[in-house]
Amino acid sequence: MMRKIIFTCCLGLAALCGYSQTPVGEIRPGEIWPDDKGIHVNAHGGGILYADGTYYWLGEFKSDTTSVALDGVTCYSSNDLVHWKNEGIAMPVMPDGSYSDIESGCILERPKVVYNKKTGKYVIWFHLELKGKGYAVARVGVAVSDKVTGPYRFVHSYRPCAGFWPENMPEEYPSA
């Protein structure tokens, strides 16, 4: 009797595992993950925000040859987290010679987008290193937009907690 129950349960489980609705696709680690145009998704260090029934992925646009920002922050949208539509550059970097904190050639990393209910704006927070300074300035950048897909307007950058050591940090460590 016990074997019959186990066999029936296994058969039912196998039937459930074999049942599927229309497949939504696959994510294959180590392989190219194409967007709606067949181009590899380029949104490094990014974050995903769910808004109005759609997922939005904003991240760093990276080239094959350098880690500095050449284009800015890209935006992709998806209904299923597998198929992504390229919405374009949501926050472009400024042209070379503009003297903006987010000038082409700066290091702009790990952008994260949030919605500010009070202002009705989308806000991107990101790590920023000024052009030509390497990792010496350790700044935070802020940009805002009326739409999650952009365009985002750079507001400012600053060094949080400048001059303050974290709790229990030994004094012999040099400051940046």
Side-chain angles (χ1 to χ4, degrees):
M1 180 67 175
M2 184 59 121
R3 283 185 179 179
K4 189 174 184 179
I5 292 172
I6 292 173
F7 176 76
T8 304
C9 289
C10 288
L11 187 61
L13 185 59
L16 285 174
C17 290
Y19 174 79
S20 71
Q21 296 178 2
T22 305
V24 294
E26 304 183 336
I27 299 169
R28 295 183 181 190
E31 291 187 13
I32 298 294
W33 195 353
D35 64 14
D36 60 316
K37 296 175 179 132
I39 300 169
H40 187 47
V41 171
N42 194 337
H44 302 267
I48 295 176
L49 174 76
Y50 184 73
D52 301 321
T54 303
Y55 297 95
Y56 295 92
W57 181 0
L58 283 86
E60 311 158 38
F61 184 90
K62 293 290 187 187
S63 78
D64 292 338
T65 59
T66 181
S67 64
V68 299
L70 300 176
D71 291 313
V73 175
T74 51
C75 179
Y76 293 86
S77 63
S78 174
N79 294 319
D80 61 12
L81 295 172
V82 174
H83 302 95
W84 292 93
K85 177 183 177 192
N86 186 336
E87 300 286 351
I89 301 292
M91 185 184 78
V93 292
M94 297 294 108
D96 195 32
S98 66
Y99 301 104
S100 170
D101 286 359
I102 61 166
E103 182 176 347
S104 180
C106 69
I107 299 172
L108 192 158
E109 298 176 328
R110 298 180 299 280
K112 304 298 184 269
V113 63
V114 295
Y115 179 71
N116 184 326
K117 190 185 284 187
K118 185 175 180 179
T119 65
K121 304 271 186 199
Y122 292 91
V123 181
I124 294 179
W125 290 88
F126 53 94
H127 170 218
L128 177 67
E129 298 292 345
L130 302 177
K131 181 179 180 177
K133 302 290 184 185
Y135 281 90
V137 295
R139 297 176 77 88
V140 171
V142 180
V144 297
S145 176
D146 293 325
K147 299 186 320 184
V148 67
T149 56
Y152 284 82
R153 179 180 55 83
F154 175 69
V155 177
H156 71 282
S157 75
Y158 62 96
R159 179 146 187 190
C161 304
F164 292 95
W165 286 94
E167 208 172 297
N168 301 319
M169 176 71 86
E171 289 293 328
E172 64 269 12
Y173 289 156
S175 61

